[in-house]
Amino acid sequence: MSTRRPFFRRRSVTPPKETILSSVLGEYLDPIDALFTIFFSILFALLFTLSYGILIYRGIIDSSLANGYGQELFAAILGAVAAWGIIDGVIYVLSEVFARGERYRLLRYVQSSDSDETAVAAIADTLDFILKPITNDNQRVGLYHDIAGYLSQAEPQTVGLQREDLVGAATTILLSIVAVLPSLLPLLLLPDNTALAIRISNFLSFFVVFATGYSWGIHTDTNPWKTGLLLASVCLIMVLIAMLLGG
């Protein structure tokens, strides 16, 4: 008697693998935060280089006149990326402080609740979206009661600015600048051939985005090639949309 192969095959699940996003940057930033910091840094560089390259291609800027402006373009891109890195760093600090404030509000609400049911309902509102896909109702109710019992005796933590917030912000700023440096080097190394420097810069930008997506694929145990190509494609689409809208 023949046996049918199952329509779905169980895929082995492995813990997140160590990559530069987790092993190095993970000490200071969540890997997903590091991923998008690199992504937006490269996005800024591409907005400059692709726009400048199109102006040369269409003859709006004469290619002979464009040569010699590599250093100015380098400085402009680096300044824009650094400015965005500072903004992103400030947003990071605010998000961390606000997140602790939200947790503090939950703690105070649980401790001041008149009944366990009220406290459990508040915890459920906060955690259901995370736990519903991986637990059943009875498991969540039991877990929420345990959390409520712990929080009722817990001491509030400091809500204000902490050292880790500043370290994370500094890492965000530094990562924004370091991520874009490979794309900017051709503008310095080929100062008399800006058009060629821009083409090389664009290639390196997409390579960095692809490599970042590839690393994320390894980290999350998904197909790294597909993840890298997806991230590079999304980057290109976003740059084109921004250019069409005058960005």
Side-chain angles (χ1 to χ4, degrees):
M1 184 177 69
S2 62
T3 58
R4 294 180 59 189
R5 296 178 63 186
F7 186 75
F8 293 106
R9 289 185 297 175
R10 183 180 297 274
R11 184 172 182 267
S12 61
V13 179
T14 60
K17 297 179 180 178
E18 291 294 323
T19 65
I20 189 173
L21 292 176
S22 57
S23 61
V24 179
L25 299 174
E27 294 291 327
Y28 310 103
L29 280 180
D30 189 275
I32 192 67
D33 291 329
L35 170 72
F36 285 112
T37 296
I38 296 172
F39 181 84
F40 284 112
S41 179
I42 298 299
L43 192 65
F44 265 85
L46 285 170
L47 280 173
F48 278 88
T49 56
L50 285 177
S51 298
Y52 200 79
I54 289 175
L55 292 177
I56 296 176
Y57 177 78
R58 291 184 175 180
I60 298 175
I61 298 178
D62 188 271
S63 59
S64 61
L65 296 177
N67 292 332
Y69 285 92
Q71 293 181 351
E72 288 78 0
L73 191 58
F74 173 92
I77 296 174
L78 188 62
V81 169
W84 171 253
I86 293 172
I87 294 172
D88 200 21
V90 172
I91 293 174
Y92 175 87
V93 171
L94 291 176
S95 66
E96 291 295 307
V97 173
F98 290 166
R100 282 195 297 274
E102 188 176 20
R103 293 193 292 269
Y104 177 80
R105 175 198 60 80
L106 176 63
L107 173 64
R108 300 303 299 169
Y109 185 84
V110 169
Q111 291 181 343
S112 62
S113 297
D114 297 330
S115 64
D116 290 343
E117 289 72 17
T118 303
V120 168
I123 295 172
D125 287 340
T126 303
L127 298 180
D128 263 355
F129 79 99
I130 298 176
L131 296 177
K132 263 190 175 182
I134 57 176
T135 59
N136 58 42
D137 292 342
N138 291 333
Q139 289 173 328
R140 289 197 306 278
V141 170
L143 178 60
Y144 294 159
H145 273 94
D146 290 340
I147 294 175
Y150 173 79
L151 292 180
S152 64
Q153 305 297 325
E155 291 292 330
Q157 297 181 350
T158 303
V159 177
L161 186 66
Q162 296 184 5
R163 176 182 176 275
E164 290 77 10
D165 303 333
L166 299 177
V167 172
T171 304
T172 299
I173 297 170
L174 183 62
L175 180 59
S176 297
I177 296 173
V178 171
V180 82
L181 287 180
S183 304
L184 299 185
L185 285 178
L187 300 174
L188 288 181
L189 299 178
L190 299 170
D192 297 326
N193 195 339
T194 306
L196 176 60
I198 287 176
R199 286 194 290 271
I200 297 175
S201 174
N202 292 336
F203 171 80
L204 291 174
S205 292
F206 283 110
F207 177 79
V208 170
V209 173
F210 170 81
T212 304
Y214 189 94
S215 178
W216 181 257
I218 294 175
H219 174 69
T220 56
D221 196 29
T222 56
N223 189 312
W225 290 96
K226 289 183 178 179
T227 307
L229 291 173
L230 174 63
L231 198 63
S233 300
V234 170
C235 182
L236 175 60
I237 292 171
M238 293 182 67
V239 169
L240 294 177
I241 290 174
M243 291 170 62
L244 290 174
L245 295 177

